[in-house]
Amino acid sequence: MKQIKELNMRHDDEQFMKKAIELGMQVKGLTGDNPNVGCVIVMENHIIGEGNTRPPGGPHAEISAFLDAELHNQPVEGAILYSTVEPCSFFGRTPPCTSAIIQKQIKQVVIGIRDPHPSVSGEGVRLLKATGIDVVEDVCQEEVRGYLAEWLKSYEV
């Protein structure tokens, strides 16, 4: 079995991001003005939590994945979190996902794209890195942009 430090391999990142994309696509049209984000949490090369964004006011994908891991009695400390979009870093209808990620002591966060929302746009990445969490960006970026094209249009200049 692979050790968690070996999960930095690009193939594994793509494999788990594609699962996150699949989860995000499952809720297309069901998330209001939020992007339909997918997320998986991985420990020792196994998915221990899956989630996607719920309707407005409900949990974002990262929180849904934490809840799924908890439901199955899977500790997440030291795990890798894959999210199709950069985790939010501000308090809107829900608390910031970055705070939960930091509190849960996730080791690494892998994202498909940065969130273009002006209140996030790199701030989530900055906060995670500032606490020592490794962040890998742009994994399966084109696929993520493709399935989120409609949502991304609202941020084009």
Side-chain angles (χ1 to χ4, degrees), residues 74-91:
Q74 295 293 320
V76 298
E77 182 179 334
I80 298 174
L81 183 142
Y82 291 81
S83 183
T84 55
V85 177
E86 173 185 13
C88 68
S89 56
F90 68 98
F91 201 111

Side-chain angles (χ1 to χ4, degrees), residues 12-63:
D12 288 341
D13 286 347
E14 290 177 2
Q15 171 191 343
F16 293 122
M17 185 60 72
K18 286 180 187 225
K19 178 61 178 176
I21 291 168
E22 178 185 311
L23 290 165
M25 290 172 50
Q26 289 175 2
V27 292
K28 185 173 182 163
L30 303 175
T31 60
D33 59 348
N34 289 330
N36 49 306
V37 176
C39 178
V40 296
I41 300 171
V42 175
M43 182 72 83
E44 296 179 355
N45 217 28
H46 295 286
I47 295 174
I48 60 169
E50 297 182 352
N52 43 32
T53 300
R54 301 333 239 162
H60 290 182
E62 299 88 344
I63 305 307

